[in-house]
Amino acid sequence: MEPASHHLSKEEQQYFRKLTEGIFGYSEQIRNERLKSLATDFHITLIAPDLCTFLKETVHYNLVFTDLTLLIYAVRAIKSLLSNAHVDLKPHIHLVLPTVLSCCLAKKISKYYDDNHWTLRDFSAAVAASICHSYSDELNNMKGRVIEIYLSAIRDNSKGLATTYGAIKGLSSFGEDSVKAHLLPNAMLISNKIHQSLEASNYGFYMDHQKQNVHEAKHVRNVMVTICAPILHKCRKINDGGLSYVREFGYLGKSLYIQVKNIESLEQAKSHQNQYVISSVARGGAQQWFQLG
């Protein structure tokens, strides 16, 4: 694995090769050592431009050949670079941020639909949020532009559910305010996508295609419920059997309502348990006082 440019010294080229071969090699121990070097070594500053270019090209190549494992290694490397206090990635954001977003939003990032590509999408969304946290400002509006990319993926009916999942995770990675401002207002669109995919699976000609539709629909439904229900519990407590949720969120409404009620039940049970403990402690203290008296 050679650096993208030839301006590096012989020692720097050797260091570059040592890092990249270790990161993308077979040994997890060596990989972790190289990732630690990426995250801490001052000398990374000398080869950072070449590393960013290399990682961009690696992701592009492995998106074509859908090698999930190598894509994971590449995003792990970017995360390590982001952690290095000696490295300023701002001049290279145009290389690393689109690379990470591709791993989050690409239609297909693994050979088989039932591979656990969801984990890479989760991880990439978190790394993209970290990049924005570190380098977004009023001038470049990086965070705002990334949010628009996620929203475009949700609003575009030609984008599949795997891409929609990545956009959901991306928006949620910016925190509760982002969920309230961007995800909940688009929940009906997501709900319609899920419903349409499930409907299409009923008429699919190929069994694998039907399974993929159902598989992706369940993942998107589950992530929406996991992310949105706790927030709805805080701001929209209702007791109408879920009718208002169904009107507002469509297919997702019933699942969201059930989960909100589950959260309420858990909180009530926890509250009762705490009250019981406090009462027990109080009774025990009173008995001890009488015995002493």
mmCIF file of all heavy atoms in Angstrom, residues 107-138:
data_model
loop_
_atom_site.group_PDB
_atom_site.id
_atom_site.type_symbol
_atom_site.label_atom_id
_atom_site.label_comp_id
_atom_site.label_asym_id
_atom_site.label_seq_id
_atom_site.Cartn_x
_atom_site.Cartn_y
_atom_site.Cartn_z
ATOM 1 N N LYS A 107 -26.462 2.872 -0.585
ATOM 2 C CA LYS A 107 -27.548 1.899 -0.748
ATOM 3 C C LYS A 107 -27.115 0.511 -0.310
ATOM 4 O O LYS A 107 -27.861 -0.215 0.363
ATOM 5 C CB LYS A 107 -27.997 1.873 -2.211
ATOM 6 C CG LYS A 107 -29.093 0.861 -2.501
ATOM 7 C CD LYS A 107 -29.480 0.892 -3.973
ATOM 8 C CE LYS A 107 -30.570 -0.131 -4.274
ATOM 9 N NZ LYS A 107 -30.951 -0.107 -5.720
ATOM 10 N N LYS A 108 -25.890 0.151 -0.669
ATOM 11 C CA LYS A 108 -25.404 -1.193 -0.354
ATOM 12 C C LYS A 108 -23.956 -1.113 0.091
ATOM 13 O O LYS A 108 -23.103 -0.607 -0.643
ATOM 14 C CB LYS A 108 -25.532 -2.096 -1.582
ATOM 15 C CG LYS A 108 -25.236 -3.562 -1.311
ATOM 16 C CD LYS A 108 -25.503 -4.420 -2.542
ATOM 17 C CE LYS A 108 -25.239 -5.889 -2.232
ATOM 18 N NZ LYS A 108 -25.462 -6.768 -3.404
ATOM 19 N N ILE A 109 -23.679 -1.608 1.289
ATOM 20 C CA ILE A 109 -22.305 -1.588 1.797
ATOM 21 C C ILE A 109 -21.844 -2.982 2.212
ATOM 22 O O ILE A 109 -20.777 -3.128 2.806
ATOM 23 C CB ILE A 109 -22.149 -0.599 2.978
ATOM 24 C CG1 ILE A 109 -23.095 -0.958 4.123
ATOM 25 C CG2 ILE A 109 -22.375 0.830 2.523
ATOM 26 C CD1 ILE A 109 -22.915 -0.080 5.357
ATOM 27 N N SER A 110 -22.646 -3.982 1.914
ATOM 28 C CA SER A 110 -22.253 -5.363 2.206
ATOM 29 C C SER A 110 -22.788 -6.266 1.103
ATOM 30 O O SER A 110 -23.707 -5.896 0.368
ATOM 31 C CB SER A 110 -22.795 -5.813 3.563
ATOM 32 O OG SER A 110 -24.209 -5.779 3.571
ATOM 33 N N LYS A 111 -22.208 -7.442 0.998
ATOM 34 C CA LYS A 111 -22.584 -8.339 -0.094
ATOM 35 C C LYS A 111 -23.997 -8.889 0.066
ATOM 36 O O LYS A 111 -24.703 -9.114 -0.915
ATOM 37 C CB LYS A 111 -21.574 -9.488 -0.183
ATOM 38 C CG LYS A 111 -20.216 -9.075 -0.741
ATOM 39 C CD LYS A 111 -19.289 -10.264 -0.874
ATOM 40 C CE LYS A 111 -18.016 -9.885 -1.635
ATOM 41 N NZ LYS A 111 -17.245 -8.846 -0.960
ATOM 42 N N TYR A 112 -24.412 -9.113 1.306
ATOM 43 C CA TYR A 112 -25.710 -9.743 1.553
ATOM 44 C C TYR A 112 -26.567 -8.840 2.431
ATOM 45 O O TYR A 112 -26.059 -8.178 3.343
ATOM 46 C CB TYR A 112 -25.521 -11.107 2.218
ATOM 47 C CG TYR A 112 -24.585 -12.011 1.441
ATOM 48 C CD1 TYR A 112 -23.278 -12.222 1.879
ATOM 49 C CD2 TYR A 112 -24.991 -12.617 0.258
ATOM 50 C CE1 TYR A 112 -22.408 -13.029 1.162
ATOM 51 C CE2 TYR A 112 -24.132 -13.428 -0.465
ATOM 52 C CZ TYR A 112 -22.839 -13.630 -0.011
ATOM 53 O OH TYR A 112 -21.980 -14.414 -0.733
ATOM 54 N N TYR A 113 -27.864 -8.842 2.172
ATOM 55 C CA TYR A 113 -28.749 -7.916 2.876
ATOM 56 C C TYR A 113 -28.813 -8.192 4.377
ATOM 57 O O TYR A 113 -29.059 -7.285 5.173
ATOM 58 C CB TYR A 113 -30.162 -7.965 2.276
ATOM 59 C CG TYR A 113 -30.969 -9.195 2.636
ATOM 60 C CD1 TYR A 113 -31.718 -9.246 3.811
ATOM 61 C CD2 TYR A 113 -30.990 -10.308 1.801
ATOM 62 C CE1 TYR A 113 -32.455 -10.370 4.148
ATOM 63 C CE2 TYR A 113 -31.724 -11.433 2.124
ATOM 64 C CZ TYR A 113 -32.456 -11.460 3.296
ATOM 65 O OH TYR A 113 -33.185 -12.572 3.626
ATOM 66 N N ASP A 114 -28.577 -9.458 4.776
ATOM 67 C CA ASP A 114 -28.674 -9.782 6.195
ATOM 68 C C ASP A 114 -27.330 -9.693 6.915
ATOM 69 O O ASP A 114 -27.221 -10.088 8.081
ATOM 70 C CB ASP A 114 -29.304 -11.160 6.407
ATOM 71 C CG ASP A 114 -28.590 -12.268 5.641
ATOM 72 O OD1 ASP A 114 -27.698 -11.951 4.829
ATOM 73 O OD2 ASP A 114 -28.930 -13.450 5.850
ATOM 74 N N ASP A 115 -26.294 -9.180 6.231
ATOM 75 C CA ASP A 115 -25.056 -8.843 6.939
ATOM 76 C C ASP A 115 -25.343 -7.704 7.918
ATOM 77 O O ASP A 115 -26.255 -6.895 7.701
ATOM 78 C CB ASP A 115 -23.972 -8.382 5.958
ATOM 79 C CG ASP A 115 -23.404 -9.528 5.135
ATOM 80 O OD1 ASP A 115 -23.495 -10.675 5.593
ATOM 81 O OD2 ASP A 115 -22.889 -9.266 4.030
ATOM 82 N N ASN A 116 -24.538 -7.607 8.944
ATOM 83 C CA ASN A 116 -24.765 -6.553 9.939
ATOM 84 C C ASN A 116 -24.128 -5.230 9.494
ATOM 85 O O ASN A 116 -23.231 -4.691 10.148
ATOM 86 C CB ASN A 116 -24.222 -6.977 11.303
ATOM 87 C CG ASN A 116 -24.642 -6.017 12.405
ATOM 88 O OD1 ASN A 116 -25.568 -5.228 12.230
ATOM 89 N ND2 ASN A 116 -23.957 -6.071 13.525
ATOM 90 N N HIS A 117 -24.621 -4.724 8.358
ATOM 91 C CA HIS A 117 -24.128 -3.429 7.883
ATOM 92 C C HIS A 117 -24.709 -2.283 8.705
ATOM 93 O O HIS A 117 -24.229 -1.148 8.647
ATOM 94 C CB HIS A 117 -24.470 -3.233 6.404
ATOM 95 C CG HIS A 117 -25.934 -3.305 6.095
ATOM 96 N ND1 HIS A 117 -26.749 -2.204 6.140
ATOM 97 C CD2 HIS A 117 -26.722 -4.349 5.742
ATOM 98 C CE1 HIS A 117 -27.984 -2.556 5.818
ATOM 99 N NE2 HIS A 117 -27.999 -3.855 5.573
ATOM 100 N N TRP A 118 -25.733 -2.579 9.497
ATOM 101 C CA TRP A 118 -26.353 -1.548 10.337
ATOM 102 C C TRP A 118 -25.351 -0.979 11.334
ATOM 103 O O TRP A 118 -25.373 0.221 11.637
ATOM 104 C CB TRP A 118 -27.556 -2.140 11.074
ATOM 105 C CG TRP A 118 -28.458 -2.928 10.184
ATOM 106 C CD1 TRP A 118 -28.526 -4.297 10.080
ATOM 107 C CD2 TRP A 118 -29.400 -2.414 9.234
ATOM 108 N NE1 TRP A 118 -29.450 -4.655 9.133
ATOM 109 C CE2 TRP A 118 -30.010 -3.526 8.599
ATOM 110 C CE3 TRP A 118 -29.788 -1.132 8.864
ATOM 111 C CZ2 TRP A 118 -30.982 -3.389 7.623
ATOM 112 C CZ3 TRP A 118 -30.763 -0.984 7.887
ATOM 113 C CH2 TRP A 118 -31.345 -2.101 7.282
ATOM 114 N N THR A 119 -24.467 -1.831 11.834
ATOM 115 C CA THR A 119 -23.471 -1.376 12.809
ATOM 116 C C THR A 119 -22.527 -0.352 12.191
ATOM 117 O O THR A 119 -22.165 0.644 12.833
ATOM 118 C CB THR A 119 -22.671 -2.576 13.349
ATOM 119 O OG1 THR A 119 -23.562 -3.479 14.004
ATOM 120 C CG2 THR A 119 -21.612 -2.125 14.343
ATOM 121 N N LEU A 120 -22.121 -0.581 10.945
ATOM 122 C CA LEU A 120 -21.256 0.393 10.277
ATOM 123 C C LEU A 120 -21.998 1.705 10.052
ATOM 124 O O LEU A 120 -21.421 2.783 10.206
ATOM 125 C CB LEU A 120 -20.745 -0.157 8.944
ATOM 126 C CG LEU A 120 -19.905 0.823 8.110
ATOM 127 C CD1 LEU A 120 -18.704 1.336 8.899
ATOM 128 C CD2 LEU A 120 -19.451 0.176 6.804
ATOM 129 N N ARG A 121 -23.267 1.637 9.712
ATOM 130 C CA ARG A 121 -24.046 2.866 9.532
ATOM 131 C C ARG A 121 -24.152 3.627 10.859
ATOM 132 O O ARG A 121 -24.019 4.859 10.893
ATOM 133 C CB ARG A 121 -25.429 2.532 8.973
ATOM 134 C CG ARG A 121 -25.386 1.919 7.576
ATOM 135 C CD ARG A 121 -26.782 1.632 7.036
ATOM 136 N NE ARG A 121 -26.739 0.795 5.850
ATOM 137 C CZ ARG A 121 -26.543 1.231 4.602
ATOM 138 N NH1 ARG A 121 -26.371 2.528 4.385
ATOM 139 N NH2 ARG A 121 -26.525 0.396 3.580
ATOM 140 N N ASP A 122 -24.384 2.902 11.948
ATOM 141 C CA ASP A 122 -24.423 3.531 13.276
ATOM 142 C C ASP A 122 -23.096 4.229 13.581
ATOM 143 O O ASP A 122 -23.065 5.389 14.012
ATOM 144 C CB ASP A 122 -24.676 2.476 14.359
ATOM 145 C CG ASP A 122 -26.039 1.816 14.257
ATOM 146 O OD1 ASP A 122 -26.892 2.316 13.502
ATOM 147 O OD2 ASP A 122 -26.238 0.788 14.929
ATOM 148 N N PHE A 123 -22.030 3.489 13.374
ATOM 149 C CA PHE A 123 -20.694 3.987 13.682
ATOM 150 C C PHE A 123 -20.346 5.197 12.815
ATOM 151 O O PHE A 123 -19.820 6.210 13.299
ATOM 152 C CB PHE A 123 -19.684 2.857 13.473
ATOM 153 C CG PHE A 123 -18.266 3.199 13.825
ATOM 154 C CD1 PHE A 123 -17.962 3.856 15.004
ATOM 155 C CD2 PHE A 123 -17.229 2.848 12.976
ATOM 156 C CE1 PHE A 123 -16.643 4.160 15.337
ATOM 157 C CE2 PHE A 123 -15.912 3.146 13.291
ATOM 158 C CZ PHE A 123 -15.621 3.804 14.472
ATOM 159 N N SER A 124 -20.659 5.116 11.533
ATOM 160 C CA SER A 124 -20.353 6.214 10.612
ATOM 161 C C SER A 124 -21.140 7.469 10.971
ATOM 162 O O SER A 124 -20.613 8.588 10.884
ATOM 163 C CB SER A 124 -20.665 5.788 9.173
ATOM 164 O OG SER A 124 -19.882 4.674 8.797
ATOM 165 N N ALA A 125 -22.392 7.299 11.374
ATOM 166 C CA ALA A 125 -23.200 8.450 11.792
ATOM 167 C C ALA A 125 -22.573 9.138 13.000
ATOM 168 O O ALA A 125 -22.517 10.375 13.071
ATOM 169 C CB ALA A 125 -24.624 8.004 12.115
ATOM 170 N N ALA A 126 -22.087 8.342 13.944
ATOM 171 C CA ALA A 126 -21.449 8.908 15.137
ATOM 172 C C ALA A 126 -20.154 9.633 14.779
ATOM 173 O O ALA A 126 -19.863 10.715 15.308
ATOM 174 C CB ALA A 126 -21.177 7.800 16.154
ATOM 175 N N VAL A 127 -19.368 9.057 13.871
ATOM 176 C CA VAL A 127 -18.110 9.694 13.459
ATOM 177 C C VAL A 127 -18.390 10.990 12.699
ATOM 178 O O VAL A 127 -17.714 12.008 12.907
ATOM 179 C CB VAL A 127 -17.266 8.726 12.608
ATOM 180 C CG1 VAL A 127 -16.040 9.436 12.038
ATOM 181 C CG2 VAL A 127 -16.828 7.526 13.448
ATOM 182 N N ALA A 128 -19.398 10.980 11.831
ATOM 183 C CA ALA A 128 -19.759 12.200 11.098
ATOM 184 C C ALA A 128 -20.170 13.308 12.064
ATOM 185 O O ALA A 128 -19.796 14.480 11.886
ATOM 186 C CB ALA A 128 -20.892 11.906 10.112
ATOM 187 N N ALA A 129 -20.922 12.954 13.097
ATOM 188 C CA ALA A 129 -21.324 13.948 14.097
ATOM 189 C C ALA A 129 -20.105 14.490 14.842
ATOM 190 O O ALA A 129 -20.034 15.689 15.143
ATOM 191 C CB ALA A 129 -22.319 13.331 15.075
ATOM 192 N N SER A 130 -19.146 13.618 15.127
ATOM 193 C CA SER A 130 -17.916 14.058 15.805
ATOM 194 C C SER A 130 -17.123 15.026 14.935
ATOM 195 O O SER A 130 -16.562 16.013 15.430
ATOM 196 C CB SER A 130 -17.052 12.844 16.160
ATOM 197 O OG SER A 130 -17.696 12.016 17.097
ATOM 198 N N ILE A 131 -17.070 14.735 13.636
ATOM 199 C CA ILE A 131 -16.371 15.641 12.716
ATOM 200 C C ILE A 131 -17.040 17.011 12.722
ATOM 201 O O ILE A 131 -16.376 18.053 12.801
ATOM 202 C CB ILE A 131 -16.353 15.046 11.291
ATOM 203 C CG1 ILE A 131 -15.479 13.789 11.252
ATOM 204 C CG2 ILE A 131 -15.833 16.077 10.288
ATOM 205 C CD1 ILE A 131 -15.559 13.031 9.937
ATOM 206 N N CYS A 132 -18.364 17.020 12.656
ATOM 207 C CA CYS A 132 -19.096 18.291 12.671
ATOM 208 C C CYS A 132 -18.894 19.024 13.990
ATOM 209 O O CYS A 132 -18.740 20.252 14.012
ATOM 210 C CB CYS A 132 -20.584 18.039 12.426
ATOM 211 S SG CYS A 132 -20.977 17.498 10.748
ATOM 212 N N HIS A 133 -18.896 18.284 15.080
ATOM 213 C CA HIS A 133 -18.694 18.899 16.395
ATOM 214 C C HIS A 133 -17.329 19.577 16.472
ATOM 215 O O HIS A 133 -17.190 20.655 17.072
ATOM 216 C CB HIS A 133 -18.815 17.837 17.484
ATOM 217 C CG HIS A 133 -18.567 18.359 18.871
ATOM 218 N ND1 HIS A 133 -19.482 19.141 19.545
ATOM 219 C CD2 HIS A 133 -17.493 18.228 19.697
ATOM 220 C CE1 HIS A 133 -18.985 19.469 20.734
ATOM 221 N NE2 HIS A 133 -17.779 18.928 20.851
ATOM 222 N N SER A 134 -16.336 18.959 15.844
ATOM 223 C CA SER A 134 -14.972 19.487 15.927
ATOM 224 C C SER A 134 -14.708 20.619 14.939
ATOM 225 O O SER A 134 -13.931 21.532 15.244
ATOM 226 C CB SER A 134 -13.963 18.358 15.679
ATOM 227 O OG SER A 134 -14.070 17.354 16.662
ATOM 228 N N TYR A 135 -15.358 20.586 13.779
ATOM 229 C CA TYR A 135 -14.949 21.490 12.708
ATOM 230 C C TYR A 135 -16.060 22.369 12.130
ATOM 231 O O TYR A 135 -15.789 23.225 11.296
ATOM 232 C CB TYR A 135 -14.306 20.684 11.572
ATOM 233 C CG TYR A 135 -13.023 20.017 11.989
ATOM 234 C CD1 TYR A 135 -12.970 18.653 12.260
ATOM 235 C CD2 TYR A 135 -11.855 20.756 12.152
ATOM 236 C CE1 TYR A 135 -11.799 18.036 12.660
ATOM 237 C CE2 TYR A 135 -10.672 20.151 12.555
ATOM 238 C CZ TYR A 135 -10.650 18.792 12.808
ATOM 239 O OH TYR A 135 -9.483 18.191 13.217
ATOM 240 N N SER A 136 -17.297 22.168 12.551
ATOM 241 C CA SER A 136 -18.373 23.017 12.033
ATOM 242 C C SER A 136 -18.346 24.378 12.714
ATOM 243 O O SER A 136 -18.109 24.482 13.920
ATOM 244 C CB SER A 136 -19.735 22.351 12.266
ATOM 245 O OG SER A 136 -20.774 23.121 11.699
ATOM 246 N N ASP A 137 -18.570 25.428 11.936
ATOM 247 C CA ASP A 137 -18.668 26.770 12.500
ATOM 248 C C ASP A 137 -19.675 27.573 11.676
ATOM 249 O O ASP A 137 -20.265 27.068 10.719
ATOM 250 C CB ASP A 137 -17.297 27.460 12.536
ATOM 251 C CG ASP A 137 -16.603 27.486 11.180
ATOM 252 O OD1 ASP A 137 -17.304 27.662 10.157
ATOM 253 O OD2 ASP A 137 -15.372 27.331 11.124
ATOM 254 N N GLU A 138 -19.867 28.817 12.061
ATOM 255 C CA GLU A 138 -20.858 29.646 11.371
ATOM 256 C C GLU A 138 -20.487 29.879 9.913
ATOM 257 O O GLU A 138 -21.363 30.045 9.057
ATOM 258 C CB GLU A 138 -21.006 30.991 12.096
ATOM 259 C CG GLU A 138 -21.648 30.877 13.474
ATOM 260 C CD GLU A 138 -21.848 32.235 14.117
ATOM 261 O OE1 GLU A 138 -21.533 33.251 13.450
ATOM 262 O OE2 GLU A 138 -22.319 32.288 15.269
#
